[in-house]
């Protein structure tokens, strides 16, 4: 059962024709030992980049401190050697080791909703967006570990800490090296709903696009760069039809968008 937190929440009408761009597949993270990893052969631009993904997190509130990893690079130290984005007590957050911490005011804990997450770094500022709305910023001076030639992990914290393993679905994971883009480069508002757009972008040398279309190779990069990720224990049966533009039961699956305040979400009870 769920309760709408605000009467202005709007869900888009069902029907495949609503979407101009279809995301055909997602991948499901269920096993705590499953994740994707990649170490770039050389560093890209470490002061200007954009990360985008669609996600539905079923395990945001399962851990004692709600610390659930999305993307991270490096294992320890300051922002130059460790930088990551994650949920902390259901708030979208980013930090280095113990510095550059920022966290959204809104919480994101609806296990049935697809959220569009954008994280960009430009001009010494880290920006985070949910469903097209900026939810937090922090000042970041100099290079960061993201886009350095250190190990990057998707869905698990460096050092593989048990409490920080992601559980849920991810779809259309994109990284842009050397360009800071707004959420409207990846999605758009239509009839009050935030929906995905066709990915037609310049990726930069270390950029990638994971569309999860190949069940046997979830880390396959389709950007043209061949910046593939190594699969660690994600199984072929974890490829899902459930996506931001198509539900696993054959009907559209829409995140609930609040027109006045997109940070107010639907909470399962």
């Amino acid at each position: 059962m769920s309760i709408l937190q605000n009467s202005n929440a709007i869900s888009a009408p069902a029907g495949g024709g609503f979407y101009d761009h279809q995301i055909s597949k997602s991948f499901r993270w269920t096993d705590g030992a499953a994740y994707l990893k990649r170490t770039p052969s050389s560093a890209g631009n470490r002061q200007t980049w954009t990360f985008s993904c669609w996600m539905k997190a079923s395990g945001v509130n399962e851990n004692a401190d709600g610390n659930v990893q999305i993307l991270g690079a490096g294992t320890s130290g300051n922002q130059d050697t460790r930088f990551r984005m994650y949920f902390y007590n259901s708030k979208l957050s980013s930090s280095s080791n113990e510095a550059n911490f920022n966290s959204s005011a809104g919480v994101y804990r609806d296990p049935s909703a697809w959220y569009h997450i954008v994280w960009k770094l430009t001009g010494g500022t880290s920006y985070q967006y949910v469903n097209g709305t900026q939810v937090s910023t922090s000042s970041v001076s100099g290079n960061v570990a993201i886009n350095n030639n250190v190990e990057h992990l998707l869905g698990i914290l460096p050092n593989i800490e048990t409490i920080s393993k992601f559980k849920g679905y991810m779809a259309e994971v994109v990284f842009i090296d050397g360009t800071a883009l707004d959420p409207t480069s990846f999605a758009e508002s239509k009839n009050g709903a935030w929906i995905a757009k066709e990915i037609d972008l310049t990726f930069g040398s270390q950029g990638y696009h994971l569309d999860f279309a190949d069940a046997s190779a979830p880390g396959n990069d389709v950007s043209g760069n061949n910046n593939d990720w190594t699969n660690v224990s994600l199984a072929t049966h974890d490829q899902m039809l459930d996506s931001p533009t198509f539900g696993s039961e054959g009907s559209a699956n829409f995140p609930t968008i609040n027109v006045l305040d997109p940070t107010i979400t639907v909470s399962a009870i």
Side-chain angles (χ1 to χ4, degrees), residues 132-146:
T133 296
Q134 182 180 304
V135 297
S136 63
T137 65
S138 64
S139 178
V140 179
S141 178
N143 290 329
V144 298
I146 296 289

Side-chain angles (χ1 to χ4, degrees), residues 168-214:
Y169 301 74
M170 290 193 193
E172 199 137 85
V173 175
V174 177
F175 183 80
I176 306 297
D177 174 15
T179 306
L181 298 175
D182 291 332
T184 51
S185 294
F186 308 93
E188 62 186 343
S189 179
K190 185 175 182 180
N191 294 356
W194 188 250
I195 65 171
K197 291 169 58 174
E198 187 78 29
I199 301 299
D200 184 17
L201 300 168
T202 299
F203 293 90
S205 64
Q206 295 303 325
Y208 51 82
H209 178 191
L210 310 183
D211 66 355
F212 302 123
D214 186 343

